[in-house]
Amino acid sequence: MTPLMLHLDPDKLKTLLGRSLSYQGVPCQVIEILGEESPDLVLRDLRDHQVIQPNQYGDAGGWTPQMFTIRVLNVHGDRFNPDVPELAALDLLA
């Protein structure tokens, strides 16, 4: 039996922009949504932790806040990403 795939509402996903979420215990802010069919969230670490960002050639660039790109759904597409527990409590389904 194939698991039921969750269908996300793109308009409801847009409400996540600017929202604070916790990713693996790290406080983050949603700064971008990538894709529609199987969307990813781009999260910015809200702590003062910064990393060196490489330029297009892989050379060290400037210091920037840590960024994470994560899937909204788990690998099977039947549940929300368990690394972001707040997602399960939000109304994001079509």
Side-chain angles (χ1 to χ4, degrees), residues 18-29:
R19 186 181 197 116
S20 294
L21 298 174
S22 175
Y23 171 63
Q24 296 182 339
V26 175
C28 296
Q29 181 179 33

Side-chain angles (χ1 to χ4, degrees), residues 10 12-23 26-35 39-46 66-72 84 86-87 90 92:
K12 290 180 180 178
L13 276 176
K14 290 177 188 173
T15 66
L16 293 177
L17 289 171
R19 186 181 197 116
S20 294
L21 298 174
S22 175
Y23 171 63
V26 175
C28 296
Q29 181 179 33
V30 179
I31 61 168
E32 192 169 352
I33 300 168
L34 304 174
D40 293 334
L41 299 178
V42 178
L43 307 175
R44 182 175 61 88
D45 188 336
L46 291 175
Q66 175 80 39
M67 301 284 185
F68 306 101
T69 302
I70 58 124
R71 292 200 161 268
V72 174
V84 187
E86 295 98 330
L87 292 175
L90 301 173
L92 301 173

Side-chain angles (χ1 to χ4, degrees), residues 45-62:
D45 188 336
L46 291 175
R47 302 173 300 173
D48 288 333
H49 181 75
Q50 295 197 348
V51 296
I52 295 177
Q53 181 178 15
N55 64 17
Q56 64 187 7
Y57 304 106
D59 298 324

